[in-house]
Amino acid sequence: MRPASSPLPPSSSLPPLRTLDSLTGDRIFDAIRNLSRIYCPLSFHLEEPHSKKPVDEPLVDSGYTSGSEDDKGDALTALRADGFERSFAERWLTGFLARAAELSCLTSDDARERAVEDASCVLESFYTNSAEDEQKQEELAHYVREFTFDVSIPGRGQGKEINFRVNDGLAGQNPEEPDDVGLQSWGASVVISNIMCAEPDRFGFSRGALGPSPRIIDLGAGTGLVSLVLAQLLPQLGISDSTVIATDYHPAVLENLRANVAANSCLSSPGRLEVAALDWSAPTHEAPLDKPADVLLATDVVYAAEHSVWLRDCATGLLAPEGIFWLIATVRDTGRFDGVSDTVVPAFAAEDRPVAGDGRRLTILNEERLEKRNGIGRGDESGYKLFRIGWA
Ligand SMILES: C[S@@+](CC[C@H](N)C(=O)[O-])C[C@H]1O[C@@H](n2cnc3c(N)ncnc32)[C@H](O)[C@@H]1O
């Protein structure tokens, strides 16, 4: 992941309206995206964050808040409040919408529709947000985290950068919700997203291996980071009709997950991305979880003794006959999570584990250690175990 650059002032970054047709469609989408970053922080349906952290939460360093992030938030707030910049942006958006139907640089109806929708989205926010909404957005903008990943496409080199924002860092703020850990993106999801984008072949993410319309389920998706990455990565790999389903069981986490997915559906060209409730301890197979998954993914989901067995049994009911389950367990060598990642191997080797109709059982096919990366993840994380699990 690269640090995200700060949004630029509209007056110095928007291309003149008269030059629009000489630009590329990407340049136009970048301009609208920049405006959205300034004026449309995510739509929040969460309660206000509580200021106190629970005392027994083993908070080491989250690795996510830094002085520079705070500075960025302040700069963004100032930019959003600048009346000159706002009316400049408003005039540009109005002019863009008036010309959009004739712009040949928007090469397909789909691209034109999306650009108009995205621009309208930002313009509408100028008229619909009350002063109270604005203030709330400013406060909560500090909980918006931006992610940027470089993509490398096998045989073709650099792909289109993946970029999105999520409501993040809200875990552990509400003493009444001790289990809301999924309101934060964890180190494992950032590390694995980096690798998936840099080396998609390593996960078999290619049209040849997965076909044009694979189903992928993210278990314990939290903020939805990995799902959001996949929804943007797979189309770049020629997998044009993918469905990614981000799941979780915790009501507040699901609500935030839905908000993150909705907020990012506007500004990219992602594959299909859905959200569904799924509890590993009592899985149901209602739509959209009624069809087998070609890929299951789960990052930092083993942090209690029973999790490995729940995940194994849940995955047994979800994974397609040729499917692969990528399980990333975070290794914590200190505190109350010490040794929990060691529960994965025995769970998937147990003689009494469930058997599929064809007699095969979920089995670890490969285990690899991933190093902790500087500045990513909490201080108690010492690395990650990447398990490749399939039927054997
Ligand atoms: C440490 S967080 C990791 C979140 C996300 N995968 C990431 O890496 O950022 C663990 C996630 O598992 C979810 N979870 C815990 N128990 C679960 C269960 N029984 N069923 C489904 N999800 C569960 C939590 O709500 C949380 O979102």
Side-chain angles (χ1 to χ4, degrees), residues 147-205:
F147 288 93
T148 304
F149 295 97
D150 288 327
V151 173
S152 181
I153 303 177
R156 281 198 281 141
Q158 200 175 355
K160 189 167 159 28
E161 166 189 286
I162 289 177
N163 183 288
F164 56 85
R165 288 164 290 159
V166 291
N167 294 331
D168 209 319
L170 285 153
Q173 308 246 1
N174 183 350
E176 282 154 32
E177 293 280 12
D179 297 326
D180 66 1
V181 293
L183 292 178
Q184 166 179 343
S185 299
W186 291 76
S189 65
V190 180
V191 168
I192 213 68
S193 294
N194 262 312
I195 303 177
M196 287 187 321
C197 290
E199 301 170 67
D201 270 357
R202 192 162 160 186
F203 294 85
F205 292 159

Side-chain angles (χ1 to χ4, degrees), residues 179-189 218-223 225-226 247-250 253 278-281 298-301 303 307 310 332:
D179 297 326
D180 66 1
V181 293
L183 292 178
Q184 166 179 343
S185 299
W186 291 76
S189 65
D218 185 359
L219 301 170
T223 62
L225 174 76
V226 171
T247 68
D248 211 286
Y249 82 125
H250 190 287
V253 174
L278 177 69
D279 184 341
W280 320 320
S281 68
T299 57
D300 199 350
V301 284
Y303 54 99
H307 283 166
W310 284 355
R332 298 179 169 95

Side-chain angles (χ1 to χ4, degrees), residues 2-217:
R2 290 189 292 105
S5 52
S6 297
L8 299 165
S11 62
S12 62
S13 65
L14 289 172
L17 287 166
R18 68 190 144 68
T19 65
L20 285 183
D21 219 9
S22 61
L23 305 174
T24 60
D26 278 354
R27 174 71 184 91
I28 290 180
F29 277 105
D30 284 346
I32 302 172
R33 188 195 308 258
N34 184 60
L35 292 179
S36 162
R37 287 171 66 194
I38 302 168
Y39 298 112
C40 297
L42 302 169
S43 45
F44 294 92
H45 308 289
L46 289 166
E47 286 177 18
E48 295 279 349
H50 294 247
S51 56
K52 267 178 58 198
K53 290 189 186 296
V55 278
D56 63 343
E57 182 61 19
L59 289 183
V60 196
D61 96 270
S62 73
Y64 296 139
T65 321
S66 65
S68 62
E69 287 296 323
D70 287 348
D71 293 347
K72 243 188 244 168
D74 292 344
L76 195 59
T77 303
L79 198 50
R80 193 177 303 126
D82 187 321
F84 170 78
E85 292 297 342
R86 178 176 284 238
S87 58
F88 192 96
E90 191 177 339
R91 280 200 306 280
W92 189 89
L93 285 164
T94 311
F96 167 74
L97 288 170
R99 289 166 174 78
E102 282 116 48
L103 293 177
S104 54
C105 58
L106 296 169
T107 48
S108 67
D109 288 347
D110 183 45
R112 190 182 316 281
E113 220 171 89
R114 228 165 2 96
V116 166
E117 219 173 86
D118 296 349
S120 309
C121 213
V122 183
L123 195 57
E124 266 169 39
S125 75
F126 291 161
Y127 307 120
T128 52
N129 287 354
S130 65
E132 205 180 308
D133 286 341
E134 296 268 331
Q135 197 192 345
K136 197 171 175 191
Q137 284 194 344
E138 262 169 38
E139 282 164 20
L140 288 165
H142 289 283
Y143 292 92
V144 175
R145 186 172 176 211
E146 177 144 3
F147 288 93
T148 304
F149 295 97
D150 288 327
V151 173
S152 181
I153 303 177
R156 281 198 281 141
Q158 200 175 355
K160 189 167 159 28
E161 166 189 286
I162 289 177
N163 183 288
F164 56 85
R165 288 164 290 159
V166 291
N167 294 331
D168 209 319
L170 285 153
Q173 308 246 1
N174 183 350
E176 282 154 32
E177 293 280 12
D179 297 326
D180 66 1
V181 293
L183 292 178
Q184 166 179 343
S185 299
W186 291 76
S189 65
V190 180
V191 168
I192 213 68
S193 294
N194 262 312
I195 303 177
M196 287 187 321
C197 290
E199 301 170 67
D201 270 357
R202 192 162 160 186
F203 294 85
F205 292 159
S206 68
R207 192 182 162 103
L210 292 178
S213 47
R215 291 176 79 74
I216 296 173
I217 301 179

